[in-house]
Amino acid sequence: MGSGKSTVAPLLAEALGVTVRDVDSEIEAREGRSISDIFVDSGEDHFRELERAAVREVLAEHDGVVSLGGGAVLDPETRELLADHRVVFLRVGLAEAVKRVGLGTGRPLLLGNVRSRIKALLDERAPVYAAVADLTVDTDERTPEDIVAEIEKALP
């Protein structure tokens, strides 16, 4: 959350000459409602089921850049699906994440104290992200173009 996925993914796809698919956007389009509404109306478990199915489908039919939601890799099945793909972890620090996310409007996992919720999510998720990733790129105080250049340089 706040790492720059939504900004970096299309720039990376353009640089590589491929297309990009955003799993959260695809879920919203299929469901006809926002991620926040899915969380509120149907619960996180239902959203995670939709997310797992969308990731499975996108990875099976798309060979470009895929942008995953921040919680996608917490699912063991999704981690297995990613095993045969290059995975880039866009690492963001707490202060930068809070600055980028703001008050978390539209982010269902940030209800309550935004800073403490982001810290808890980073603490919980960072080790999983690092374990799944082939490449970790720090994003704090960097432009999207710098991040894309680092990723491009690291790709075979």
PDB file of all heavy atoms in Angstrom, residues 17 20 52 62 67 97 99 108 125 155:
ATOM      1  N   GLY A  17       7.535  -2.722 -23.549  1.00  0.00           N
ATOM      2  CA  GLY A  17       6.778  -2.973 -24.774  1.00  0.00           C
ATOM      3  C   GLY A  17       5.726  -4.059 -24.620  1.00  0.00           C
ATOM      4  O   GLY A  17       5.447  -4.801 -25.565  1.00  0.00           O
ATOM      5  N   VAL A  20      -0.189  -4.137 -19.467  1.00  0.00           N
ATOM      6  CA  VAL A  20      -0.282  -4.285 -18.021  1.00  0.00           C
ATOM      7  C   VAL A  20      -1.713  -4.646 -17.645  1.00  0.00           C
ATOM      8  O   VAL A  20      -2.657  -4.200 -18.301  1.00  0.00           O
ATOM      9  CB  VAL A  20       0.157  -2.987 -17.282  1.00  0.00           C
ATOM     10  CG1 VAL A  20      -0.763  -1.826 -17.616  1.00  0.00           C
ATOM     11  CG2 VAL A  20       0.210  -3.187 -15.775  1.00  0.00           C
ATOM     12  N   ARG A  52      -7.893 -14.301  -5.573  1.00  0.00           N
ATOM     13  CA  ARG A  52      -7.171 -15.524  -5.928  1.00  0.00           C
ATOM     14  C   ARG A  52      -7.572 -15.995  -7.327  1.00  0.00           C
ATOM     15  O   ARG A  52      -6.721 -16.327  -8.156  1.00  0.00           O
ATOM     16  CB  ARG A  52      -7.474 -16.620  -4.900  1.00  0.00           C
ATOM     17  CG  ARG A  52      -6.714 -17.905  -5.098  1.00  0.00           C
ATOM     18  CD  ARG A  52      -7.075 -18.969  -4.047  1.00  0.00           C
ATOM     19  NE  ARG A  52      -7.146 -18.447  -2.705  1.00  0.00           N
ATOM     20  CZ  ARG A  52      -8.288 -18.301  -1.990  1.00  0.00           C
ATOM     21  NH1 ARG A  52      -9.460 -18.657  -2.508  1.00  0.00           N
ATOM     22  NH2 ARG A  52      -8.264 -17.816  -0.770  1.00  0.00           N
ATOM     23  N   HIS A  62      -1.885 -13.921 -19.486  1.00  0.00           N
ATOM     24  CA  HIS A  62      -1.230 -12.641 -19.755  1.00  0.00           C
ATOM     25  C   HIS A  62       0.268 -12.782 -19.570  1.00  0.00           C
ATOM     26  O   HIS A  62       0.735 -13.347 -18.577  1.00  0.00           O
ATOM     27  CB  HIS A  62      -1.788 -11.590 -18.787  1.00  0.00           C
ATOM     28  CG  HIS A  62      -1.188 -10.239 -18.932  1.00  0.00           C
ATOM     29  ND1 HIS A  62      -1.398  -9.440 -20.026  1.00  0.00           N
ATOM     30  CD2 HIS A  62      -0.380  -9.528 -18.109  1.00  0.00           C
ATOM     31  CE1 HIS A  62      -0.751  -8.308 -19.867  1.00  0.00           C
ATOM     32  NE2 HIS A  62      -0.122  -8.330 -18.726  1.00  0.00           N
ATOM     33  N   SER A  67      -0.044  -6.144 -11.954  1.00  0.00           N
ATOM     34  CA  SER A  67      -0.012  -5.429 -10.686  1.00  0.00           C
ATOM     35  C   SER A  67      -0.964  -6.120  -9.722  1.00  0.00           C
ATOM     36  O   SER A  67      -2.164  -6.231 -10.004  1.00  0.00           O
ATOM     37  CB  SER A  67      -0.433  -3.968 -10.900  1.00  0.00           C
ATOM     38  OG  SER A  67      -0.450  -3.275  -9.676  1.00  0.00           O
ATOM     39  N   ALA A  97       4.939   5.597   3.114  1.00  0.00           N
ATOM     40  CA  ALA A  97       3.625   4.994   2.869  1.00  0.00           C
ATOM     41  C   ALA A  97       2.519   5.870   3.430  1.00  0.00           C
ATOM     42  O   ALA A  97       1.501   6.105   2.770  1.00  0.00           O
ATOM     43  CB  ALA A  97       3.557   3.593   3.462  1.00  0.00           C
ATOM     44  N   LYS A  99       2.628   9.074   3.984  1.00  0.00           N
ATOM     45  CA  LYS A  99       2.564  10.292   3.175  1.00  0.00           C
ATOM     46  C   LYS A  99       1.802  10.032   1.875  1.00  0.00           C
ATOM     47  O   LYS A  99       0.964  10.826   1.464  1.00  0.00           O
ATOM     48  CB  LYS A  99       3.983  10.788   2.884  1.00  0.00           C
ATOM     49  CG  LYS A  99       4.034  12.083   2.101  1.00  0.00           C
ATOM     50  CD  LYS A  99       5.428  12.697   2.062  1.00  0.00           C
ATOM     51  CE  LYS A  99       6.422  11.796   1.387  1.00  0.00           C
ATOM     52  NZ  LYS A  99       7.744  12.415   1.183  1.00  0.00           N
ATOM     53  N   PRO A 108     -10.031  -0.134   2.706  1.00  0.00           N
ATOM     54  CA  PRO A 108     -10.776  -0.766   3.798  1.00  0.00           C
ATOM     55  C   PRO A 108      -9.919  -1.288   4.948  1.00  0.00           C
ATOM     56  O   PRO A 108     -10.403  -1.383   6.068  1.00  0.00           O
ATOM     57  CB  PRO A 108     -11.526  -1.916   3.111  1.00  0.00           C
ATOM     58  CG  PRO A 108     -10.794  -2.147   1.834  1.00  0.00           C
ATOM     59  CD  PRO A 108     -10.207  -0.823   1.435  1.00  0.00           C
ATOM     60  N   ARG A 125       3.362  -8.013   6.337  1.00  0.00           N
ATOM     61  CA  ARG A 125       3.498  -8.407   4.942  1.00  0.00           C
ATOM     62  C   ARG A 125       4.916  -8.386   4.392  1.00  0.00           C
ATOM     63  O   ARG A 125       5.230  -9.170   3.494  1.00  0.00           O
ATOM     64  CB  ARG A 125       2.618  -7.505   4.071  1.00  0.00           C
ATOM     65  CG  ARG A 125       1.135  -7.694   4.355  1.00  0.00           C
ATOM     66  CD  ARG A 125       0.316  -6.711   3.578  1.00  0.00           C
ATOM     67  NE  ARG A 125      -1.110  -6.953   3.755  1.00  0.00           N
ATOM     68  CZ  ARG A 125      -2.049  -6.287   3.109  1.00  0.00           C
ATOM     69  NH1 ARG A 125      -1.720  -5.349   2.242  1.00  0.00           N
ATOM     70  NH2 ARG A 125      -3.325  -6.559   3.334  1.00  0.00           N
ATOM     71  N   LEU A 155      16.303  -6.994 -15.009  1.00  0.00           N
ATOM     72  CA  LEU A 155      15.682  -8.062 -15.780  1.00  0.00           C
ATOM     73  C   LEU A 155      16.679  -8.671 -16.760  1.00  0.00           C
ATOM     74  O   LEU A 155      17.507  -7.959 -17.300  1.00  0.00           O
ATOM     75  CB  LEU A 155      14.463  -7.524 -16.543  1.00  0.00           C
ATOM     76  CG  LEU A 155      13.280  -7.087 -15.693  1.00  0.00           C
ATOM     77  CD1 LEU A 155      12.193  -6.475 -16.580  1.00  0.00           C
ATOM     78  CD2 LEU A 155      12.723  -8.247 -14.884  1.00  0.00           C
TER      79      LEU A 155
END
